[in-house]
């Protein structure tokens, strides 16, 4: 069942499709009168709709059913990643969205090889935001993660989060195994009905500098090892999300 997001909080029983949904559903997917798909409002309500009218430029749908769909992680996870090379940011956003991330922040790390020209930053963020929306629709989520950019790690507002952790290669080399376990236990014990927030910081290919680690320590971050193997910059964030999902949703 195809799923699309709309920018409205509420929709009537009969409504016209926004142009971007028309383009994909009618032009690309070649849906016809009588076909059904799902629409998600900004209030996280899912609508099962049926195409009742299709013209060369417009289409109308009728709501068949309204329902809630609980598919989001119990904790709001923000991934803050040092700007990686090539198309790795796209990979992190796409797969991270499928795994349940709520937000993505890419920052210019001291060891980042990749650089974003200030004039091109809006277009790059917009492209990543579109990737997040497409992945959220494919994964049948009810929210689209937000993608932002920070020029430096210390420009991120860390005080907004309940829990803070960073994946640190040196901690892994020293055999650190307790931080993630403690974090997951705390999240499991958190008060039901009140969603907690977590920010997880990951370095670019060159890792995090000593100064950046010092700044994170000053912000009450815990330094976690992610096991005995060294992961790529685009792999580590996905490992965290998968482990978190296993503990909180399947455990």
């Amino acid at each position: 069942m195809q799923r699309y997001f709309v920018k409205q909080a509420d929709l009537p029983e009969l409504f016209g499709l926004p142009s971007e949904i028309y383009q994909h559903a009618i032009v690309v997917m070649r849906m016809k009168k009588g076909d059904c798909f799902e629409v998600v409002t900004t209030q996280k309500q899912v609508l099962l709709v049926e195409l009742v009218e299709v013209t060369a430029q417009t289409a109308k749908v009728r709501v068949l059913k309204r329902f809630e769909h609980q598919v989001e992680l119990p904790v709001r996870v923000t991934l803050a990643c040092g700007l990686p090379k090539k198309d790795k940011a796209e990979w992190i956003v796409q797969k991270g969205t499928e795994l349940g991330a709520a937000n993505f922040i890419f920052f210019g790390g001291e060891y980042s090889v990749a650089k974003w020209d200030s004039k091109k930053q809006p277009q790059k963020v917009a492209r990543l935001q579109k990737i997040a929306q497409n992945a959220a629709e494919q994964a049948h989520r009810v929210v689209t993660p937000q993608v932002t950019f920070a020029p430096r790690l210390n420009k991120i507002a860390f005080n907004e989060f309940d829990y803070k952790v960073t994946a640190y290669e040196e901690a892994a080399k020293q055999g650190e195994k307790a931080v993630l376990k403690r974090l997951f236990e705390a999240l499991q014990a958190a008060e039901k009905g009140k969603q907690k927030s977590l920010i997880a910081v990951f370095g670019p290919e060159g890792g995090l500098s000593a100064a950046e680690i010092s700044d994170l320590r000053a912000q009450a971050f815990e330094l976690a090892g992610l096991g005995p193997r060294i992961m790529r910059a685009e792999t580590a964030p996905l490992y965290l999300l998968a482990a978190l999902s296993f503990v909180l949703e399947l455990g």
Side-chain angles (χ1 to χ4, degrees):
M1 181 69 67
Q2 189 70 40
R3 177 172 289 195
Y4 299 101
F5 288 88
V6 293
K7 298 177 181 178
Q8 290 80 20
D10 190 28
L11 290 166
E13 296 303 306
L14 185 69
F15 62 93
L17 290 182
S19 59
E20 63 272 16
I21 297 180
Y22 177 94
Q23 175 65 27
H24 191 270
I26 308 304
V27 178
V28 177
M29 301 297 292
R30 298 185 179 182
M31 293 187 187
K32 299 179 176 60
K33 182 178 179 180
D35 287 342
C36 297
F37 55 90
E38 295 173 345
V39 171
V40 183
T41 71
T42 57
Q43 295 299 311
K44 303 179 184 179
Q45 187 178 56
V46 183
L47 280 57
L48 176 63
V49 301
E50 178 187 11
L51 277 165
V52 295
E53 180 183 307
V54 178
T55 71
Q57 295 182 331
T58 64
K60 289 184 178 180
V61 297
R62 179 177 65 247
V63 177
L64 301 178
K65 182 181 179 182
R66 299 172 188 262
F67 60 97
E68 305 295 327
H69 192 191
Q70 179 52 277
V71 294
E72 300 301 319
L73 278 173
V75 57
R76 287 183 56 81
V77 180
T78 295
L79 299 180
C81 302
L83 199 59
K85 295 185 294 185
K86 299 181 180 180
D87 60 352
K88 293 178 182 178
E90 297 180 6
W91 174 269
I92 291 170
V93 169
Q94 184 186 66
K95 302 309 176 186
T97 297
E98 291 178 28
L99 288 168
N103 299 289
F104 299 90
I105 304 172
F106 290 96
F107 64 89
E110 289 191 27
Y111 293 158
S112 287
V113 175
K115 306 292 181 184
W116 280 4
D117 182 272
S118 58
K119 294 180 180 179
K120 296 182 179 180
Q121 285 173 17
Q123 297 96 310
K124 289 182 177 293
V125 170
R127 173 169 172 74
L128 292 175
Q129 190 63 64
K130 183 62 176 178
I131 290 172
Q133 179 175 326
N134 290 341
E137 292 173 346
Q138 183 275 325
H140 277 213
R141 292 186 57 179
V142 294
V143 296
T144 298
Q146 295 301 302
V147 183
T148 56
F149 176 77
R152 287 287 178 268
L153 182 60
N154 60 14
K155 296 298 183 181
I156 301 173
F158 294 125
N159 60 341
E160 300 176 356
F161 299 91
D162 299 310
Y163 300 93
K164 308 168 191 177
V165 67
T166 183
Y168 188 40
E169 182 177 325
E170 294 306 314
K173 288 179 180 178
Q174 295 166 15
E176 194 289 311
K177 298 179 180 180
V179 170
L180 281 189
K181 185 174 184 293
R182 277 201 313 269
L183 172 63
F184 291 170
E185 288 173 348
L187 290 171
Q188 284 179 307
E191 180 182 350
K192 301 298 182 182
K194 184 179 180 182
Q195 192 178 43
K196 296 292 185 178
S197 60
L198 163 69
I199 183 166
V201 173
F202 301 86
E205 289 84 356
L208 295 167
S209 71
E212 288 171 327
I213 288 296
S214 178
D215 288 343
L216 291 174
R217 284 183 182 275
Q219 293 283 345
F221 270 76
E222 292 198 83
L223 277 54
L226 301 183
R229 292 164 296 281
I230 303 302
M231 299 181 192
R232 292 179 181 271
E234 69 272 26
T235 307
L238 307 184
Y239 172 92
L240 177 71
L241 288 171
L244 189 61
S245 173
F246 177 80
V247 171
L248 297 183
E249 298 181 308
L250 302 178

